[in-house]
Amino acid sequence: MTDLITQWIRDDIRELSAYHVPDPGQMIKLDAMENPYLWPESMQQQWLSQLSEVPVNRYPDPSAAKLTKRLEQVMNVPQGMCSILGNGSDELIQIICMALSKPDNVVMAPEPTFVMYQIIARFTNMKYQGIPLDSHFQLDMAAMTEAIEIHQPAVIFLAYPNNPTGNLFSEQDVKTIIEMAPGLVVVDEAYHAFAGHSFMPMLSDYDNLVVMRTVSKMGLAGLRLGILSGPSDWISEFDKVRLPYNINVLTQFTADFALEQHDILQQQTDQICRDREILKEAMMGLNGIIQYPSAANFILFKAEHISSETIFSALKQSGILIKRFADTSGSLANCLRVTVGTADENQAFIEGMKKILP
Ligand SMILES: *Cc1c(COP(=O)(O)O)cnc(C)c1O
């Protein structure tokens, strides 16, 4: 068996480890940037009754035309731009990389950032270059400029706000990178709902910019749905790599239903933003905790005198799951990331922290 595997499975795939997601069981789940709220009862009932009419025996609309239009409205995609949908923005990252994967083509991203850029670059046989952010987790423009000149990246991914650091990069720096880049720049606005800043209105200013959004962090993570928008020259090429029917009928129907009542999702998001500010305040009152600025629905932090491992385990003991980082030497050394939950969940997190801290 092992011989068969070594003979036939790609070496670089065997070296990868599978993306691990811990089982939350009954814990308070503050690890994955999910929206903690369900829909109002009446909306649930309306959805359920309409769902029974969805023809699951038929293939979905291959281009998800109705949903694409709805998303373009909700996301304020400028007139004249095109979009494709993905099974989560993860799939869109994969589509971009597959379309750009030529031998020696480079994927570049500042680090630390969303790990899927690197993972997907690797399994689509692209080269990956991570360029460290500066000590404030801003773009190190000298390093970026040099790296872009040397590596001539086919694509640069910029998460805006960035995950796991939570901050927005300087808008001017991002513009400079778009202007400098020899290839495509993908601005990943997964946390747009919490940020209030976007490159979407600037799509028509550049011929090498595309903007990616997802409904995951807005409260629809279970549906798996992302959108990539930009000039039709790029989008129509990416569309050739997309598998037909990649957005299933249940997602097409449910996302359209939910986005028709976007004000409800918006109210939830606004609540999360208010609770984020309350959580930041409360964390400032915690002894020896350093937190980083966040324009997203999570906060990156570390403790001055206690290891992230100790905090992670103690919180887990009290039934609260947050995110720890395996990286122990880089700029995320000793860091943890907590997602903004409901007011009660955030309070439980703060109480849990108080028990651990001196
Ligand atoms: C969560 C996240 C995504 C993934 O979104 P899905 O649509 O759920 O696949 C993409 N980019 C960043 C930066 C994220 O944090």
Side-chain angles (χ1 to χ4, degrees):
M1 180 74 171
T2 327
D3 290 349
L4 279 174
I5 303 299
T6 26
Q7 185 182 0
W8 294 108
I9 298 284
R10 281 164 41 182
D11 297 345
D12 56 327
I13 300 289
R14 280 190 290 113
E15 279 160 21
L16 291 174
S17 45
Y19 190 77
H20 174 71
V21 181
D23 176 11
Q26 291 302 306
M27 280 192 279
I28 295 181
K29 207 169 171 311
L30 301 178
D31 66 326
M33 283 81 87
E34 290 147 326
N35 171 333
Y37 301 107
L38 288 170
W39 298 341
E41 179 68 24
S42 61
M43 186 170 157
Q44 288 246 16
Q45 287 307 325
Q46 203 190 346
W47 171 60
L48 280 175
S49 70
Q50 291 183 24
L51 197 58
S52 62
E53 319 257 304
V54 174
V56 289
N57 58 321
R58 302 291 178 194
Y59 282 106
D61 172 355
S63 62
K66 184 172 180 227
L67 177 57
T68 305
K69 207 172 247 165
R70 173 88 66 196
L71 273 164
E72 286 183 330
Q73 274 168 9
V74 170
M75 304 291 189
N76 291 314
V77 176
Q79 285 288 320
M81 292 295 141
C82 294
S83 307
I84 55 166
L85 307 190
N87 187 347
S89 36
D90 289 349
E91 191 191 31
L92 293 167
I93 300 168
Q94 186 186 36
I95 287 173
I96 294 167
C97 288
M98 284 193 294
L100 293 170
S101 173
K102 286 192 238 181
D104 300 329
N105 270 7
V106 169
V107 175
M108 186 175 285
E111 285 191 334
T113 193
F114 189 47
V115 291
M116 292 312 290
Y117 307 143
Q118 175 170 7
I119 294 172
I120 291 171
R122 291 242 211 128
F123 69 56
T124 55
N125 257 322
M126 297 192 76
K127 298 203 164 130
Y128 177 82
Q129 284 292 333
I131 311 299
L133 292 166
D134 73 13
S135 57
H136 300 286
F137 293 135
Q138 282 294 324
L139 292 161
D140 179 339
M141 289 306 281
M144 287 299 289
T145 307
E146 193 187 336
I148 290 170
E149 273 169 17
I150 294 171
H151 299 290
Q152 296 289 306
V155 55
I156 302 172
F157 286 99
L158 299 173
Y160 185 84
N162 190 32
N163 171 17
T165 60
N167 61 314
L168 287 162
F169 300 137
S170 137
E171 185 180 304
Q172 188 49 55
D173 287 353
V174 174
K175 285 183 180 169
T176 305
I177 286 177
I178 299 167
E179 282 155 22
M180 220 162 34
L184 183 67
V185 176
V186 180
V187 174
D188 178 353
E189 299 187 348
Y191 300 96
H192 170 258
F194 314 97
H197 289 270
S198 174
F199 277 80
M200 195 68 96
M202 289 174 243
L203 276 178
S204 35
D205 300 346
Y206 303 100
D207 63 6
N208 64 335
L209 171 66
V210 293
V211 172
M212 192 163 65
R213 299 267 185 93
T214 174
V215 300
S216 294
K217 315 299 168 23
M218 288 165 53
L220 303 172
L223 296 183
R224 309 305 300 130
L225 180 65
I227 177 170
L228 182 72
S229 301
S232 68
D233 285 358
W234 286 105
I235 299 297
S236 58
E237 297 302 322
F238 295 140
D239 200 34
K240 298 176 190 172
V241 184
R242 184 180 62 84
L243 292 176
Y245 315 123
N246 64 329
I247 313 297
N248 72 70
V249 285
L250 299 179
T251 295
Q252 288 196 32
F253 169 75
T254 305
D256 189 61
F257 173 87
L259 293 170
E260 193 178 1
Q261 309 180 55
H262 180 243
D263 52 324
I264 299 211
L265 299 180
Q266 186 67 52
Q267 284 163 21
Q268 296 178 344
T269 306
D270 292 345
Q271 184 64 49
I272 293 169
C273 287
R274 287 193 293 273
D275 287 332
R276 172 185 67 201
E277 298 312 306
I278 296 170
L279 182 59
K280 282 180 183 173
E281 275 293 315
M283 286 174 73
M284 274 189 249
L286 293 175
N287 191 22
I289 292 294
I290 300 162
Q291 59 173 301
Y292 296 90
S294 171
N297 62 339
F298 59 84
I299 296 169
L300 185 76
F301 69 97
K302 62 182 167 190
E304 273 176 322
H305 305 297
I306 304 181
S307 79
S308 56
E309 197 50 48
T310 305
I311 294 179
F312 178 83
S313 308
L315 284 175
K316 205 169 163 193
Q317 283 288 314
S318 341
I320 299 165
L321 185 63
I322 64 169
K323 171 81 178 174
R324 70 179 145 178
F325 298 96
D327 168 21
T328 48
S329 56
S331 55
L332 290 180
N334 221 24
C335 282
L336 294 149
R337 184 189 67 198
V338 60
T339 301
V340 181
T342 63
D344 286 351
E345 290 173 338
N346 301 339
Q347 192 55 38
F349 164 74
I350 292 293
E351 294 305 322
M353 288 293 290
K354 279 182 183 159
K355 275 187 230 151
I356 304 160
L357 297 170

